[in-house]
Amino acid sequence: MSGLTGRLVLIIEDDFYLADDAQMALEAAGATVLGPVGNAEDAIEMLATTRPDIALVDVNLGDGASFESAAALKARGIPFVFLTGYDANIIPADYADAPRLQKPADTRSLLAALLALAEKG
């Protein structure tokens, strides 16, 4: 397996257009997209039965900054990229290792960040 081809990528994003754009870009790169899901509860429920290779995580799923999804991914050893409009200092130290993309992220940056994670694993 090379690049994103065949990789399972979970998208956790509540903005339909951003999630749709990310899904189309990832599928064009050969990934299989799980979701998108728009809240932490759905993400955690999905993680109970499915193990993505990597994930894209929006920090704000409509109710302010939340790290429930990140905690669930970290507990399962699944690498992820934060996608957020917040400054970097909002990310707790527990997730300092997770790459962060600033919204709006261009497709090239998004794919590069996820590819870098995929190649580590």
Side-chain angles (χ1 to χ4, degrees):
M1 187 180 316
S2 66
L4 293 170
T5 301
R7 304 282 183 174
L8 289 175
V9 183
L10 174 59
I11 298 175
I12 306 169
E13 169 62 69
D14 67 333
D15 182 294
F16 172 82
Y17 295 107
L18 293 177
D20 191 52
D21 286 350
Q23 181 174 6
M24 287 191 298
L26 286 163
E27 288 176 348
T32 299
V33 172
L34 300 172
V37 294
N39 61 64
E41 294 78 20
D42 289 347
I44 292 167
E45 185 176 313
M46 183 175 284
L47 290 170
T49 59
T50 307
R51 181 179 171 80
D53 297 305
I54 52 180
L56 180 65
V57 180
D58 182 10
V59 170
N60 183 344
L61 296 172
D63 295 324
S66 169
F67 298 93
E68 293 175 63
S69 301
L73 290 162
K74 185 173 181 176
R76 290 162 176 81
I78 300 167
F80 56 91
V81 173
F82 282 120
L83 180 63
T84 182
Y86 290 115
D87 291 335
N89 60 6
I90 194 137
I91 307 292
D94 288 351
Y95 309 110
D97 296 358
R100 184 183 68 85
L101 293 174
Q102 186 72 34
K103 286 184 177 181
D106 63 79
T107 301
R108 176 184 281 174
S109 298
L110 187 139
L111 292 175
L114 289 169
L115 180 60
L117 285 182
E119 290 179 343
K120 279 185 183 177

